[in-house]
Every structure is written in structure tokens, then in C-alpha cells.
Amino acid sequence: MARVAPGVKLMQKVSSTMLFAKIAPHFIPAMDKAVHKLTRGKVILSAQMLPGVILTAKGARTGEPRTTPLACMPEDGGTSWILIGSNFGRPGHPAWTGNLLKHPDADVSWQGKDIAVRARLLAGEERAAAWQAVLGFWPPYATYQARIEREIRLFRLERR
């Protein structure tokens, strides 16, 4: 098993706390959007800890573009991605998951490149396998799932 850097271990502990779940949603996305814009799509600040994309999907109700910075688990060298609808372990699915359910064609900014993708909600054995991979990738997701009643939605984004 690969050795985990001390800073990563500390961030995993911090991100598992209820205080983080209350505070983080108010500053991490805004900070990521600002840095992403300032660097012309080259940097997502939170991606220094976890890989991340900037998702642009149509709003479920409005059809207007909605931009959301998200942690992701890249697959196959960045040809597909798993998005985790954890909402920082808070009740309720994050809005972006409803947007993808209604409008699965979206775009991501990945490592400074804009990529057209199609999202697919994972279910059954495919979801179970992806969930195990996600837990190996970032163990705090287990803490998030344990404190909420809903099942965390997982989406696979594939290039279109």
C-alpha cells in the first residue's frame, strides 16, 4: 500500500469533521472558481489535495449553465471521471447532481482543457465497485455516508 503524506492524512481527518461540513461549502467552491478564473482554467486550488474539475451543466429547472468546482476521481488517465455527490456529508443531494440527472450532457474543465462529457448515474454492481474505488481514493467519503440517510450519488463522466 502506498504511503500517504502527512498533510493528506491531516486533511482527511479535518474533512471528516462536522465543522468542515458546515464551513467548507461556503468558501471552497468560491475560492476554486476565483482561482480557476484568474489562472485561465489552469488551476483549481482544492485540486492541490484532490483532483478536481470545473463542471458546467444546464440547471435542472432553468436550463441556464451552472458552474461547479468538484473533486473527482479520474479514471483511465483522465479519459473519464467519477463525481461524488457527497455534499460534504450534509443531508440532501447537491444541486449539480439534479442538473446532471435532467441534462447529462455537460462540460468539464480538466487540467486547463474544456472537454464535452456525458454523465451517467451509477447503480447496482457498477456503483458498488466505483464506491469501493472512491473509498480507497479518499476514505473520508465513508464518514460522509455514515452520517446521512441518503445514498451518495456517483456519476461517471465520459467524453462525448
Side-chain angles (χ1 to χ4, degrees), residues 24-25 27-36 43-47 51-56 66-72 83-84 88 94 96 108-109:
F27 72 87
I28 290 177
M31 186 175 57
D32 278 343
K33 280 183 183 179
V35 170
H36 187 258
V43 176
I44 301 171
L45 201 55
S46 65
V53 296
I54 301 289
L55 172 72
T56 302
R66 301 291 181 223
T67 302
T68 311
L70 298 167
C72 67
L83 297 184
I84 303 98
F88 296 94
W96 65 263
V108 293
S109 176

Side-chain angles (χ1 to χ4, degrees), residues 48-97:
Q48 305 311 305
M49 191 60 62
L50 272 174
V53 296
I54 301 289
L55 172 72
T56 302
K58 289 182 183 178
R61 289 190 300 260
T62 66
E64 294 297 316
R66 301 291 181 223
T67 302
T68 311
L70 298 167
C72 67
M73 186 179 80
E75 299 181 304
D76 303 321
T79 60
S80 66
W81 303 264
I82 299 291
L83 297 184
I84 303 98
S86 69
N87 205 12
F88 296 94
R90 298 178 307 159
H93 295 289
W96 65 263
T97 67

Side-chain angles (χ1 to χ4, degrees), residues 1-60:
M1 183 164 189
R3 189 169 183 275
V4 179
V8 172
K9 287 289 253 193
L10 176 62
M11 191 59 209
Q12 287 177 348
K13 275 189 176 239
V14 169
S15 70
S16 294
T17 66
M18 286 298 294
L19 180 61
F20 184 84
K22 287 181 186 214
I23 296 171
H26 301 290
F27 72 87
I28 290 177
M31 186 175 57
D32 278 343
K33 280 183 183 179
V35 170
H36 187 258
K37 187 175 182 177
L38 287 171
T39 62
R40 297 189 176 125
K42 291 184 175 69
V43 176
I44 301 171
L45 201 55
S46 65
Q48 305 311 305
M49 191 60 62
L50 272 174
V53 296
I54 301 289
L55 172 72
T56 302
K58 289 182 183 178

